[in-house]
Every structure is written in structure tokens, then in C-alpha cells.
Amino acid sequence: MKEDLKERADINKLVVNFYSKVRKNEEIGYFFNNTIHNWDDHLEKITDFWESNLFFTGSFSGNPAIAHVKVDRTHHNSITEYHFGIWLNLWFQTIDELFEGEMAQRLKNNARKMSTHLFLRIYQGRQANK
């Protein structure tokens, strides 16, 4: 039986495994591989984000919406809900491979909400540039 996420090390394990899949994915990997230049720093920042999101630690600082709008702009406004669907499926798959329990489910629910929010912010960013 798999265990639930309990600490930062669990989130880091999830993030590292997840981004390993993302980087290899033919449909979304290039968004990440063309944008992120220091993977160690990025993985640490994303671990901070999900640790704050799940355990309310306050360890994350930054604005994911602004970052995603910039990535979309850099890629000629080509990020779609399809890409977010692939991201979400890889996230769920990685969670299911490694963990189970209340926190694992909360991470799935939070990611679902986050993906919707970020895509809407990307869309709003496009409208503001017209």
C-alpha cells in the first residue's frame, strides 16, 4: 500500500518524477525545455509552491499566473487547454504511482483548479494585448 504525502521530501519526490515525464513529453515538453534554463532552481521553486499549496507553509514566493502568461507569449500564444489536459494527466499519473490518501487527492483537486485558473489568466493576457 502506498502512503500519503506527509512532508516536503514527498512533494519533492513527486515534483522530480513529474517533471521527468513532462520534459520527455512530445506535446508539452518543449514549453518547459525551451523556457527553463536552471532545472534545479525550478524544481526547488515548484516544490516550494506545492508545499505551500498542500501544507500551508508559506515557502513559495512568486506569481505563477504572470510566469505562465509570459511563457505563452514566448511561444506565440500557442498554449491551449489541450496542453493543460496533458499536464494534468501526467500530474495525476505521477501522484497515483507514488502516493494515495487525502493529501494526494487534495493535490489532484488543487491542480485541477490551478490549471483552470492559469489557462484563464493566459487567455486574459492575450485579450489585454489585442
Side-chain angles (χ1 to χ4, degrees), residues 60-124:
F60 177 76
S61 64
N63 189 323
I66 289 173
H68 285 78
V69 168
K70 286 180 184 176
V71 171
D72 182 58
R73 206 170 282 145
T74 300
H75 289 89
H76 310 291
N77 299 329
S78 62
I79 297 175
T80 69
E81 62 277 1
Y82 175 75
H83 298 114
F84 276 96
I86 293 168
W87 178 91
L88 207 53
N89 284 330
L90 290 172
W91 183 249
F92 286 10
Q93 178 187 44
T94 309
I95 291 171
D96 289 342
E97 287 171 357
L98 300 172
F99 303 101
E100 65 183 11
E102 180 184 342
M103 293 298 175
Q105 287 305 313
R106 188 183 300 171
L107 271 182
K108 289 180 184 180
N109 291 335
N110 291 357
R112 201 177 284 116
K113 292 175 196 172
M114 179 61 60
S115 67
T116 300
H117 171 76
L118 290 175
F119 183 71
L120 288 173
R121 290 297 300 270
I122 285 172
Y123 182 76
Q124 290 169 342

Side-chain angles (χ1 to χ4, degrees), residues 19-72:
Y19 276 101
S20 174
K21 291 177 186 168
V22 166
R23 293 177 77 180
K24 296 174 194 169
N25 185 280
E26 292 182 11
E27 295 178 285
I28 66 170
Y30 64 92
F31 291 119
F32 296 88
N33 293 322
N34 292 341
T35 304
I36 299 165
H37 304 292
N38 184 329
W39 275 96
D40 290 338
D41 285 352
H42 183 72
L43 295 173
E44 195 68 23
K45 187 168 194 92
I46 298 302
T47 298
D48 288 346
F49 174 80
W50 287 109
E51 180 186 33
S52 292
N53 187 279
L54 189 61
F55 298 129
F56 310 107
T57 61
S59 57
F60 177 76
S61 64
N63 189 323
I66 289 173
H68 285 78
V69 168
K70 286 180 184 176
V71 171
D72 182 58

